[in-house]
Amino acid sequence: EWPLRPGGHKAGMTHILREVDRGGSRSHKKEVVEAVTIVETPPMIAVGVVGYIETPRGLRTFKTVFSQHIRDECKRRFYKNWYRCKKKGHNRTGQKWADEAGKESSEV
């Protein structure tokens, strides 16, 4: 079970019409109707974003950017024993955004 799994429940199903982009398939460049599931989730706050680049072997992580201010409720989820830890995780992300060199490195 994932510790940061977004909790949600199935609200229903519907269908969509999309164009298939799969070379070599019979339905390549044709419109297909597919079933989709609608999941309702509570409001969420984004803590970070992971950027990927495409390589010959598949996708690879390029850059991970965390929010400048992360609440303690969120930080608790990253530790096994919150009461015993030093609570230093994600301190450097806020410092990185404070100076100009950190801002320039994140724009790469």
Side-chain angles (χ1 to χ4, degrees):
E1 191 171 330
W2 300 332
L4 298 175
R5 180 185 62 186
H9 65 278
K10 182 176 177 179
M13 290 190 75
T14 186
H15 59 278
I16 60 168
L17 181 68
R18 73 176 186 102
E19 188 174 305
V20 177
D21 186 25
R22 198 176 307 142
S25 174
R26 270 186 173 175
S27 54
H28 181 63
K29 298 286 186 187
K30 292 182 183 173
E31 290 183 339
V32 179
V33 176
E34 290 185 338
V36 293
T37 302
I38 299 170
V39 179
E40 285 188 359
T41 59
M44 291 187 264
I45 298 171
V47 176
V49 178
V50 179
Y52 295 93
I53 58 172
E54 205 166 317
T55 64
R57 288 190 235 149
L59 291 176
R60 181 177 67 84
T61 305
F62 176 66
K63 187 74 103 171
T64 303
V65 180
F66 282 99
S67 174
Q68 188 173 2
H69 302 288
I70 300 174
R71 290 195 237 162
D72 282 344
E73 296 94 39
C74 180
K75 288 182 188 178
R76 292 178 72 98
R77 306 288 292 207
F78 294 110
Y79 290 97
K80 187 172 183 180
N81 291 315
W82 176 254
Y83 64 95
R84 278 198 308 190
C85 72
K86 296 178 182 173
K87 300 170 184 65
K88 293 199 175 220
H90 300 284
N91 283 350
R92 287 183 286 177
T93 52
Q95 295 169 356
K96 186 176 184 178
W97 290 105
D99 61 345
E100 290 299 318
K103 290 179 183 177
E104 289 174 7
S105 69
S106 65
E107 293 175 0
V108 173

